[in-house]
Amino acid sequence: MVRAGHVIVFAHTLDGVSEPPLPSGIRVALATEQDWSALAAVAGQREVSRFRTLLTRGRRCLIAWRDDKPVGYAWLADEIGPDVVLWPLPLELPAVAAYLWNLYVLPAERSNGIGSALANARLRLAREEGFREGWRMVSPSNEPSLRTVRKSASGTRVVGEIRFVQLLGRTYARFTPHSASTAVIS
């Protein structure tokens, strides 16, 4: 029962958030209590139960809708806590940064711009709430998410990498910061 991996930590500058048009037939809105039964078709009832708890703790969820059916969602938090990540992170989130996590789009709806629409809406929400940056983590093997990172905001930089090993239910993680001179992506 050993698993190892790593993620890249990105910081989006929120003053450079683009506002592209939404894909045809898509709207993005903050989740409300009335949305959970519809979202269960996308995320499953067990996840929706966890989503309700996250919402009561002040986490915000954006849902992408096609007509009256959810086709994706994304989360934003003021801080990183044990309700947001599965293992303790070896870095602190700056007070000026919102944490962006768990962006998901139904497989049948991928490559249609919905992930980018959710990512941009989440960045705009973070900016509206007074944050200057949005931090997120992406596995270097997750090419669709890396494309979304590149499309989401100008001035995005690589903060560093977290390498982790999970051994018998325990996780050990190490953060390695990136050099500021090589960290901006375009």
Side-chain angles (χ1 to χ4, degrees):
M1 309 315 295
V2 176
R3 180 176 165 236
H6 75 285
V7 294
I8 302 169
V9 181
F10 294 96
H12 298 287
T13 302
L14 298 182
D15 58 4
V17 177
S18 61
E19 299 205 26
L22 290 172
S24 179
I26 297 296
R27 69 180 171 85
V28 176
L30 274 169
T32 66
E33 188 64 36
Q34 293 76 29
D35 298 329
W36 298 132
S37 61
L39 195 58
V42 174
Q45 194 58 50
R46 183 173 168 192
E47 270 297 278
V48 167
S49 177
R50 188 172 83 81
F51 289 177
R52 282 188 170 119
T53 302
L54 288 167
L55 201 63
T56 61
R57 292 183 178 160
R59 308 331 188 161
R60 270 91 56 226
C61 180
L62 290 162
I63 301 174
W65 297 88
R66 182 176 299 286
D67 300 319
D68 62 346
K69 296 192 181 346
V71 294
Y73 57 86
W75 284 89
L76 176 135
D78 297 350
E79 62 185 6
I80 298 173
D83 59 332
V84 175
V85 293
L86 299 176
W87 33 271
L89 292 178
L91 79 155
E92 290 289 321
L93 186 68
V96 298
Y99 180 59
L100 316 171
W101 90 101
N102 202 9
L103 191 152
Y104 176 80
V105 176
L106 287 172
E109 294 282 356
R110 292 180 185 163
S111 298
N112 293 327
I114 296 169
S116 294
L118 279 165
N120 285 322
R122 186 169 62 180
L123 291 169
R124 285 192 305 277
L125 177 61
R127 184 180 61 209
E128 290 166 8
E129 292 185 358
F131 293 101
R132 295 195 318 244
E133 290 185 330
W135 283 35
R136 66 193 281 192
M137 294 180 280
V138 177
S139 168
S141 64
N142 188 340
E143 188 53 41
S145 289
L146 292 172
R147 274 195 310 273
T148 300
V149 166
R150 288 188 288 274
K151 291 179 189 178
S152 295
S154 61
T156 298
R157 73 183 193 286
V158 176
V159 176
E161 291 187 11
I162 297 174
R163 295 193 178 271
F164 62 90
V165 175
Q166 294 174 320
L167 176 64
L168 300 173
R170 297 208 43 168
T171 301
Y172 305 90
R174 181 179 41 128
F175 174 71
T176 304
H178 274 235
S179 162
S181 62
T182 62
V184 175
I185 65 169
S186 54

